[in-house]
Amino acid sequence: MTSITIKPEILIIDDDRDVGEALEILLSKLGYNSTFFDSVEKGKEYFEKESNPIVFLDIHMPKTSGLDVLPYFKNLNPATQVIMMTGERDINNVVTSLTHKASDFLLKPFSLQTVRIAAQRALDYYTLLKEKEARDENILRDLRLASKIQKKILSVPVISPLEVAVDNTPASFVSGDFYVLSKIDNKIMVLLGDIEDHGVTSGLIGLLMTSIAREAYKENQDPSNVLKRMNLELAQEIGTHSLTAAVAVIDLEKKTIRYARGGHPFPVLYQASGQKLLNEKSGQLLGIMDALEFESHEIPYETGDVLFLYSDGLLNSLSSPLFKELEEVRKKGLGIEEYQEAIRTFSKVSLPTREFRDDSSYLLLRL
């Protein structure tokens, strides 16, 4: 624990001036600066400006009880250590003080030794809390930076002639969901993956998978090969996380979609004739076994069709009302913006609170 070389100022509030001044002298002998008030209101006014790390507070005062004032200090600065003082040996006061988050209890008359122990214990705990606060602030800053970097890396490239709409909403700062859009000649690969768990580790693995997927796609434009390469990397090199993914390769010349899945929710193709689930048999969860094969399937498409890929953080049931909403958008022949607006509206109403939320992502492509 980092030591504090300059001891902080202690605030004393007691209606008995003799007691307050005596405590000031004891604290001075122990190397502390202190300020004494025999008025609760003046003490509170001073605390509002100085936010003292340690407060010695009398329980029994003429116009108010220190037990009633205690929450005031803790609400203004939760790290402040409040040491309650009383001349009565009343166990009920001890219990009530601790319930209201007092850090210690000092019985009058007190000695130099009891004051030393109470002040040092309060200072140690205050220091511990401030160090934790500093660490938490550093972690929060790093998480915000990691989130910003992830968004830049996963930015959506222009994939002519397709219209693309993407959203990736992390449960907390960094998402374990990721996507890849890559064009080679007249073929466009679109991939949506969902790393087990969420957070920084899952986000980093997801970024690694985007690199693996791009390399695999350059070697072989079959989506099953992309999943196979990703699975080998996860199973043999990472060994700690699993992954679901759906990959589609769109052939602009032949107007076909060749796709493969590994444990991922079914992609959906919205055509003029209706909604089609791409639910043919595919592979298992990635990262569990290194010897997995993934079947590829091919279907034709027409210009204007909309391909929808999503993670289970957005949709985890084929009976979800969102599918009906998107079907209505399809029937009206609306654009990709209306598909996206339907998803936004559904998300606001249906997704759980942040505390219980999973990463949520989707890809919409107007072909």
Side-chain angles (χ1 to χ4, degrees):
M1 182 167 61
T2 303
S3 61
I4 295 180
T5 55
I6 301 176
K7 292 184 177 180
E9 182 186 51
I10 294 174
L11 176 62
I12 304 167
I13 301 176
D14 194 314
D15 65 300
D16 189 327
R17 177 163 288 276
D18 290 338
V19 172
E21 290 177 349
L23 185 54
E24 274 191 302
I25 293 171
L26 290 176
L27 288 170
S28 178
K29 288 181 179 180
L30 295 170
Y32 294 95
N33 292 318
S34 61
T35 299
F36 163 63
F37 292 97
D38 59 6
S39 161
V40 171
E41 291 307 314
K42 289 182 179 178
K44 288 165 65 174
E45 184 180 336
Y46 188 81
F47 182 81
E48 288 174 6
K49 293 185 293 183
E50 300 298 328
S51 193
N52 306 77
I54 301 173
V55 176
F56 280 82
L57 177 64
D58 189 29
I59 288 182
H60 296 285
M61 291 180 282
K63 295 182 180 180
T64 187
S65 167
L67 297 176
D68 295 331
V69 181
L70 171 59
Y72 165 85
F73 294 106
K74 298 300 290 186
N75 288 335
L76 279 183
N77 185 3
T80 291
Q81 302 302 293
V82 182
I83 300 170
M84 306 303 296
M85 302 184 294
T86 184
E88 299 181 8
R89 287 161 171 77
D90 183 355
I91 190 63
N92 290 329
N93 283 335
V94 176
V95 173
T96 305
S97 297
L98 297 176
T99 301
H100 287 77
K101 299 181 181 178
S103 60
D104 211 339
F105 196 88
L106 199 59
L107 293 175
K108 302 176 186 177
F110 30 71
S111 65
L112 183 64
Q113 180 65 7
T114 56
V115 173
R116 175 189 288 114
I117 292 171
Q120 187 61 54
R121 187 157 48 201
L123 180 58
D124 287 346
Y125 193 61
Y126 176 81
T127 304
L128 186 67
L129 289 176
K130 298 306 289 184
E131 288 178 345
K132 180 181 182 300
E133 184 180 299
R135 288 195 299 270
D136 290 346
E137 287 177 358
N138 288 337
I139 291 171
L140 189 60
R141 184 186 65 245
D142 289 346
L143 285 172
R144 285 173 175 157
L145 178 59
S147 176
K148 188 175 182 179
I149 291 170
Q150 184 184 53
K151 288 176 181 177
K152 283 188 173 291
I153 292 174
L154 294 179
S155 59
V156 181
V158 175
I159 303 289
S160 179
L162 306 186
E163 291 181 64
V164 181
V166 176
D167 184 73
N168 186 359
T169 302
S172 178
F173 294 103
V174 181
S175 177
D177 292 357
F178 63 95
Y179 51 85
V180 180
L181 290 153
S182 181
K183 184 177 182 182
I184 297 178
D185 298 327
N186 287 321
K187 291 183 178 180
I188 298 170
M189 177 187 73
V190 54
L191 180 152
L192 185 63
D194 181 357
I195 299 287
E196 174 192 356
D197 206 355
H198 50 260
V200 174
T201 301
S202 295
L204 288 172
I205 295 173
L207 294 179
L208 172 63
M209 289 298 105
T210 65
S211 177
I212 299 296
R214 291 180 191 279
E215 290 176 8
Y217 181 58
K218 288 178 182 177
E219 296 170 359
N220 185 333
Q221 280 78 59
D222 193 306
S224 62
N225 178 65
V226 175
L227 291 179
K228 189 173 181 178
R229 282 284 308 279
M230 291 167 63
N231 177 64
L232 283 173
E233 183 72 22
L234 269 177
Q236 294 182 353
E237 302 299 329
I238 305 299
T240 59
H241 286 63
S242 58
L243 158 70
T244 70
V247 186
V249 175
I250 301 157
D251 190 320
L252 300 175
E253 187 175 320
K254 296 181 179 178
K255 298 187 75 172
T256 59
I257 301 172
R258 190 166 182 82
Y259 66 94
R261 292 184 305 111
H264 202 77
F266 303 128
V268 184
L269 183 64
Y270 290 95
Q271 303 172 298
S273 57
Q275 171 184 283
K276 178 176 176 56
L277 285 176
L278 307 188
N279 59 352
E280 285 80 358
K281 181 181 177 182
S282 192
Q284 301 176 28
L285 200 70
L286 283 70
I288 304 300
M289 297 182 293
D290 55 10
L292 287 181
E293 296 294 333
F294 302 90
E295 293 185 28
S296 292
H297 308 276
E298 189 170 287
I299 59 169
Y301 74 86
E302 296 294 332
T303 301
D305 289 352
V306 174
L307 182 63
F308 177 42
L309 286 78
Y310 54 93
S311 69
D312 61 5
L314 176 68
L315 287 167
N316 56 17
S317 171
L318 293 176
S319 62
S320 169
L322 178 58
F323 286 113
K324 294 180 181 179
E325 294 295 326
L326 296 179
E327 176 63 5
E328 289 302 312
V329 175
R330 182 203 65 79
K331 288 179 181 178
K332 294 174 182 178
L334 300 175
I336 198 170
E337 294 82 5
E338 283 71 25
Y339 281 89
Q340 196 169 25
E341 183 57 35
I343 295 171
R344 285 199 199 100
T345 302
F346 168 81
S347 299
K348 289 178 182 177
V349 174
S350 302
L351 291 186
T353 59
R354 180 172 293 276
E355 183 179 359
F356 302 103
R357 187 183 299 171
D358 189 8
D359 299 322
S360 168
S361 59
Y362 66 83
L363 274 161
L364 284 164
L365 297 97
R366 191 169 189 87
L367 306 175

